Amino acid sequence: MAIKMRVLYNSAKPKIKNIANEIKAHYDLGVNAVDAIPPAYSCDKERIVILILSAKGEHIEDSLRLFCQELTKARAQNIALMVDGNDAAANAVKKILAEVAQNNAVYDEVLYIKGGLPIIGGSLKPEEKTAIFEWVDRVIANLK
């Protein structure tokens, strides 16, 4: 499946980075498809950007907020959120995206994950991989 997709993460937890790399490998994405936020290479005409975030509550750290404010339609046509956190965090990020990127399609279904501890491992269970890949498949199927 060849699709212009970027997977960007905002977390110090090893499991979050592993999730991003699993998506990259599973969907055979390009070399610079996975990066931390803010990415080394800016998004440019991406069909979909998947944001994987560790956040709790409505306070969104500045680097993430600033990055989301720059995600115009020219940079990302579709955006999907995977959150290691709660509804308040997901809604705060969605609000930023809605204010800035009014023409972008933000996928309604947020995937909530458990990112684990920042210092321990980061391996994914087979059922976690399956759930993540099924969610990504639904995101791709619903692209605008």
Side-chain angles (χ1 to χ4, degrees):
M1 173 184 313
I3 187 166
K4 193 163 182 195
M5 178 179 358
R6 294 279 300 271
V7 183
L8 304 174
Y9 60 91
N10 188 49
S11 179
K13 297 178 180 180
K15 187 173 183 179
I16 301 298
K17 184 176 181 179
N18 287 347
I19 290 170
N21 285 315
E22 287 286 341
I23 293 170
K24 176 185 176 188
H26 185 80
Y27 292 95
D28 195 27
L29 303 177
V31 176
N32 296 324
V34 171
D35 206 347
I37 295 173
Y41 301 96
S42 65
C43 295
D44 182 37
K45 298 178 187 163
E46 306 296 338
R47 185 83 165 100
I48 176 90
V49 173
I50 296 176
L51 301 177
I52 308 175
L53 318 169
S54 283
K56 299 221 185 310
E58 294 180 9
H59 176 73
I60 303 300
E61 64 182 68
D62 286 342
S63 62
L64 175 59
R65 183 179 47 76
L66 291 171
F67 173 75
C68 288
Q69 288 175 335
E70 295 174 355
L71 272 180
T72 62
K73 187 155 182 97
R75 293 184 178 204
Q77 295 173 14
N78 297 272
I79 301 166
L81 296 175
M82 191 180 300
V83 177
D84 170 30
N86 56 23
D87 283 338
N91 290 333
V93 172
K94 278 184 168 184
K95 182 179 177 186
I96 293 167
L97 292 170
E99 289 172 358
V100 179
Q102 295 174 355
N103 295 323
N104 297 27
V106 178
Y107 186 59
D108 287 334
E109 180 189 352
V110 174
L111 181 64
Y112 292 95
I113 55 173
K114 300 222 181 288
L117 298 172
I119 54 173
I120 297 176
S123 61
L124 293 166
K125 297 175 186 165
E127 60 270 17
E128 289 176 310
K129 285 184 187 182
T130 300
I132 289 166
F133 297 149
E134 287 174 353
W135 177 80
V136 174
D137 289 342
R138 286 193 302 275
V139 168
I140 292 170
N142 288 293
L143 291 178
K144 306 275 184 205

